[in-house]
Amino acid sequence: MANGKTGERTAAAEAMRPHDHRDCIRRVLDEAERRASDDRVNFTPVRRHALEILLESHAAMPAYGLLKRLDADGFGSQPPVAYRALDFLIGQGFVHKVERLNAYVACMYPHEAHTPAFLICRACRSVAETCVAPTPAALLREAQATGFAIERSVMEAEGLCRACALAEGAACN
Amino acid sequence: MANGKTGERTAAAEAMRPHDHRDCIRRVLDEAERRASDDRVNFTPVRRHALEILLESHAAMPAYGLLKRLDADGFGSQPPVAYRALDFLIGQGFVHKVERLNAYVACMYPHEAHTPAFLICRACRSVAETCVAPTPAALLREAQATGFAIERSVMEAEGLCRACALAEGAACN
DNA sequence: CGCCGGAATGTTATTGTATAATAGTTGCGA
DNA sequence: TCGCAACTATTATACAATAACATTCCGGCG
């Protein structure tokens, strides 16, 4: 792209603006492939294809959308097909669920353990993922005070990405 | 402790351990009542009763559970009854949705604007809410870098509350 | 009084999300 | 060849959420 290469461009910025998305796909897919063989888990055709589909864009895809695609591409047509693939991919950390949308996105940082945080555009449903420190301090403090053992955490922020904010502003004028 | 009265007891601790829950109910309900009349919004019977039901415990209640209760207590029996009440209560900030569970909890801090954060016990489904700074710094930085306008955010941590951790440990021995 | 408009409810129907339960398939080592 | 394990297929169902429309209640106003 574009890009600019300043060195301090953030990940969210990457996701939200034009970039060579084939790089994203290749990079993540390679990583997944490698990790899967390392961990001796089966990266089967359905699972792989599900990940490919999710990688096609940074927008979040609902389960039944994924299912429709899998069906069209010759895999099963019943819900469990999609959900099993998703379970696997989530378990491996290749995919996150965006709770707010009941939808799924490919993880852009499959290599590092992290607490995913999302910037969710309510207009175009694009989702920018950003890595966040294992667990935010405030939360950790509360948890420790109660003896609550955090196993997994997420952050989700909803709003308007820049493109949509501009578009909306235009529409309202 | 129990308790210990150190003065630094946190809110999450409050929710996760025994306490006089009638105080919670009264306190929140009073606040809601007052705020509603201040803001000149209609705190109608269904809405009020829905809040009362949610206040009965710190556990998260699914929409259809609430609906069943409303029905049993003589209000409507169709989904929109529950969802309308929830929309109102959420809009007023009296209730939060716990995305992870597709369930709803009464807000324990109806007086202050805040980003809710939840400690969700996967065993007993109890939910401890803790107030968190408007928006966590890391996220805010990302957002600003992209021109993303955050309108609303949540944090959810899943794990085991102390009681359930003990119980589970016991069961496994 | 009688009409109007808005807010809140009631009702029916539909779509989307997710899982339970069960059975069939494939590959592989003993 | 048997049996195990992992994966896949299918049916059915429960739960979550919203669309669309009818109805009621109430306050303001000519």
Side-chain angles (χ1 to χ4, degrees):
Chain A
M1 54 173 159
N3 200 331
K5 254 328 163 118
T6 66
E8 42 176 337
R9 177 82 74 71
T10 67
E14 285 292 333
M16 287 280 174
R17 33 183 80 247
H19 59 285
D20 188 339
H21 191 61
R22 280 164 307 178
D23 285 351
C24 289
I25 298 182
R26 177 125 352 129
R27 188 169 53 80
V28 176
L29 219 43
D30 283 356
E31 174 69 24
E33 204 87 57
R34 192 156 47 73
R35 268 264 307 284
S37 78
D38 282 5
D39 298 2
R40 291 207 196 73
V41 294
N42 267 341
F43 202 40
T44 63
V46 217
R47 293 170 175 179
R48 184 191 163 94
H49 196 65
L51 181 54
E52 285 171 350
I53 292 171
L54 290 178
L55 277 169
E56 283 173 7
S57 97
H58 288 294
M61 174 171 276
Y64 278 52
L66 174 63
L67 178 58
K68 199 180 298 178
R69 287 289 315 275
L70 286 173
D71 188 17
D73 297 350
F75 298 87
S77 65
Q78 300 307 314
V81 172
Y83 283 104
R84 273 193 294 250
L86 288 170
D87 282 349
F88 172 85
L89 294 170
I90 290 173
Q92 296 299 312
F94 300 148
V95 165
H96 296 299
K97 177 177 183 186
V98 183
E99 301 287 351
R100 187 68 225 286
L101 302 174
N102 285 330
Y104 303 82
V105 279
C107 175
M108 288 297 117
Y109 310 91
H111 45 300
E112 28 192 324
H114 61 286
T115 288
F118 301 108
L119 299 176
I120 305 162
C121 177
R122 67 169 154 78
C124 67
R125 280 174 65 108
S126 81
V127 172
E129 179 187 0
T130 110
C131 276
V132 153
T135 303
L139 204 51
L140 197 55
R141 207 175 330 114
E142 287 284 333
Q144 284 170 342
T146 350
F148 185 96
I150 296 180
E151 296 169 346
R152 177 177 168 286
S153 58
V154 295
M155 305 181 43
E156 300 187 358
E158 193 184 2
L160 273 188
C161 74
R162 206 163 62 124
C164 290
L166 292 173
E168 191 162 278
C172 293
N173 288 345
Chain B
M1 39 185 153
N3 198 328
K5 250 335 165 115
T6 65
E8 39 177 339
R9 174 87 75 72
T10 67
E14 285 291 336
M16 286 281 174
R17 30 182 83 247
H19 59 285
D20 188 339
H21 192 62
R22 280 165 306 179
D23 284 351
C24 289
I25 299 183
R26 176 124 355 129
R27 189 169 53 80
V28 176
L29 219 45
D30 283 356
E31 174 69 25
E33 203 87 58
R34 192 155 46 74
R35 270 264 306 284
S37 79
D38 282 5
D39 297 3
R40 291 207 198 75
V41 294
N42 266 342
F43 202 41
T44 63
V46 218
R47 293 168 175 179
R48 185 191 163 95
H49 195 65
L51 181 54
E52 285 172 348
I53 291 172
L54 290 178
L55 278 169
E56 283 173 7
S57 96
H58 288 294
M61 174 171 276
Y64 279 52
L66 174 64
L67 178 58
K68 198 180 300 177
R69 287 288 316 273
L70 286 174
D71 188 18
D73 297 349
F75 298 87
S77 64
Q78 301 306 314
V81 172
Y83 283 104
R84 275 195 288 247
L86 287 170
D87 281 349
F88 172 84
L89 293 170
I90 290 173
Q92 297 299 313
F94 299 149
V95 165
H96 296 300
K97 178 178 181 185
V98 182
E99 301 287 351
R100 187 67 225 286
L101 303 174
N102 285 329
Y104 303 83
V105 279
C107 175
M108 288 296 115
Y109 311 91
H111 46 300
E112 28 192 323
H114 61 287
T115 287
F118 300 108
L119 299 178
I120 306 163
C121 178
R122 68 170 152 79
C124 67
R125 279 175 65 109
S126 81
V127 172
E129 179 186 0
T130 110
C131 275
V132 153
T135 303
L139 203 52
L140 198 55
R141 206 173 333 112
E142 286 285 333
Q144 284 170 343
T146 350
F148 185 96
I150 295 180
E151 296 170 345
R152 176 178 170 286
S153 58
V154 295
M155 305 180 44
E156 301 187 357
E158 192 184 2
L160 274 189
C161 74
R162 206 162 63 124
C164 290
L166 292 174
E168 192 161 277
C172 294
N173 287 346

